[in-house]
Amino acid sequence: MESSRIAISIGVTLDRFIRSNEKQYPQSVGEFSQLLRDIALASKVVNREINKAGLIDIMGAVGNQNAAGDEQQKLDVLADIRFTRALSKGGAACAIISEEEEGIVQLNPDAKYIVAIDPLDGSSNIDVNVSIGTIFSVYRRKSAVGTAINLEDCLQPGSAQVAAGYVLYGSSTMLVYTTGQGLNGFTYEATLGEYVLSHPDIHIKPDANTYSINEGISKSFVQPGIHVYLNHCKEHHYAARYIGSLVADIHRNLLKGGIYLYPATIHHPQGKLRLMFEANSLAFVVEQAGGKATDGEKRILDIEPTQIHEKTPLFIGSLQMVEALENALVGN
Ligand code: P6P
């Protein structure tokens, strides 16, 4: 019997994929690769803790709020610690900005990469066993190596990202990321402790018929065009799919086509989602897959941030669906 039929290949591991990419940059010293490995390592630890959440005392809220005013869940805090510790020990990050931290977390001043992270998005779903996710961006520092990272280093537009991605802790755990050379997805094989390439070169359908929005708060939407677009979806018998966990909704729409909408509301006039920790990363990811991401007026990746915890409306997904949404906003 052929050996290939006896020993089925496990495929391309994330580590091998990162190293093969690194060879494209002869001047690379491996810092960037180390950073990606550190993010992957932290996600494996978080994955293990999420899978035990019902069995050990890490469910529920900690009783205080994060910088954005959200009630912190125990796993939010735990995930923030895991990613900060992994990046600190890896030495390839000079700083982190996190949805769970007020200010800049200074790490290795001699490193050149800044990580912006939402350690665990959708955490209100943790206690009911619904998929949740980590969202991350990587920027290159602007200040001189060897100095502390300042606000100008952190407040860069999404177009300056050198990498971005997410981890989806779902029925399987996946790491999906881009370095600007396309979008690839890796599925975690826990028995090996490895992420294995399972979704190479992801592309989002240019048009589809799934829309994701919290219609329960539709009376609080402030732009009339949103209602016009939602009526368009219903007149064309689109499917409404809203998990209430951004990474899960984005992942489904990436693979099947669709649009996710979180508009400005009376309660969130600037939108609910964070520019630096959610919108920029997912906009880079979706654009690399051929989709589009806007705040309703401008491309997400072109927004010049003014504060770390800035919020934005977010309309993201299949190109023609986002364009139809933009037309509905302009026309009404
Ligand atoms: P709402 C989770 O809190 C989150 O940030 C996203 O993951 C999710 O898409 C959205 O907010 C849900 O918000 O207002 O519909 O509950």
Side-chain angles (χ1 to χ4, degrees):
M1 178 183 286
E2 287 170 43
S3 58
S4 60
R5 290 179 60 191
I6 299 172
I8 296 171
S9 163
I10 63 165
V12 177
T13 62
L14 174 65
D15 204 50
R16 195 185 303 162
F17 186 87
I18 290 171
R19 270 188 285 117
S20 65
N21 272 4
E22 183 183 308
K23 289 182 181 129
Q24 295 176 30
Y25 307 97
Q27 77 284 4
S28 167
V29 294
E31 261 193 68
F32 185 67
S33 298
Q34 180 61 46
L35 192 79
L36 292 175
R37 277 193 285 269
D38 294 336
I39 291 171
L41 172 62
S43 76
K44 294 175 186 177
V45 178
V46 170
N47 178 63
R48 185 181 63 185
E49 283 160 349
I50 285 173
N51 289 341
K52 289 188 299 189
L55 302 171
I56 55 177
D57 180 25
I58 52 175
M59 293 173 82
V62 289
N64 51 29
Q65 294 183 337
N66 64 16
D70 293 337
E71 187 180 42
Q72 279 188 314
Q73 304 293 312
K74 290 174 186 169
L75 269 170
D76 280 327
V77 175
L78 207 51
D80 190 49
I81 292 167
R82 295 304 186 194
F83 281 96
T84 303
R85 197 175 287 171
L87 289 165
S88 174
K89 291 183 174 178
C94 49
I96 293 175
I97 53 172
S98 168
E99 183 176 303
E100 303 304 332
E101 304 285 345
E102 176 67 37
I104 302 169
V105 179
Q106 304 283 347
L107 296 179
N108 177 5
D110 297 327
K112 56 176 177 284
Y113 296 111
I114 298 161
V115 175
I117 191 164
D118 181 354
L120 209 55
D121 179 79
S123 51
S124 56
N125 291 301
I126 292 168
D127 294 1
V128 294
N129 209 9
V130 167
S131 301
I132 49 183
T134 295
I135 309 170
F136 65 90
S137 293
V138 181
Y139 296 85
R140 194 173 281 104
R141 71 184 297 163
K142 297 166 77 172
S143 57
V145 169
T147 61
I149 290 300
N150 57 47
L151 207 48
E152 189 190 357
D153 280 311
C154 298
L155 296 181
Q156 299 185 48
S159 55
Q161 291 173 94
V162 293
Y166 59 82
V167 181
L168 176 62
Y169 309 99
S171 50
S172 65
T173 293
M174 281 192 70
L175 171 64
V176 178
Y177 82 96
T178 180
T179 58
Q181 314 294 325
L183 184 69
N184 293 284
F186 299 79
T187 298
Y188 186 50
E189 171 44 279
T191 60
L192 297 176
E194 291 278 6
Y195 280 106
V196 180
L197 182 63
S198 54
H199 296 68
D201 195 22
I202 297 173
H203 279 80
I204 188 171
K205 288 177 186 169
D207 199 8
N209 55 12
T210 297
Y211 68 105
S212 307
I213 188 169
N214 181 352
E215 290 200 72
I217 59 172
S218 58
K219 290 200 180 307
S220 71
F221 298 155
V222 297
Q223 296 159 295
I226 299 292
H227 297 284
V228 170
Y229 182 72
L230 293 181
N231 288 336
H232 163 81
C233 293
K234 291 167 186 161
E235 283 158 11
H236 290 78
H237 308 294
Y238 285 9
R241 294 288 183 273
Y242 190 68
I243 301 170
S245 188
L246 178 60
V247 172
D249 280 317
I250 295 293
H251 186 70
R252 182 205 52 249
N253 291 348
L254 263 174
L255 299 189
K256 305 277 189 186
I259 184 173
Y260 173 98
L261 309 92
Y262 209 107
T265 68
I266 298 167
H267 309 294
H268 298 287
Q270 303 305 316
K272 175 186 179 186
L273 301 178
R274 287 75 172 182
L275 175 65
M276 297 307 294
F277 306 119
E278 292 158 332
N280 270 342
S281 170
L282 296 173
F284 189 17
V285 161
V286 168
E287 282 198 5
Q288 283 291 305
K292 188 168 188 178
T294 174
D295 68 355
E297 293 172 0
K298 68 178 89 64
R299 180 180 179 235
I300 290 289
L301 297 184
D302 291 340
I303 297 174
E304 291 288 348
T306 57
Q307 50 183 314
I308 288 178
H309 294 278
E310 179 170 333
K311 297 182 179 179
T312 178
L314 178 63
F315 308 106
I316 182 170
S318 292
L319 178 63
Q320 293 171 26
M321 298 183 80
V322 176
E323 287 173 342
L325 178 278
E326 288 175 312
N327 293 336
L329 291 176
V330 166
N332 294 281

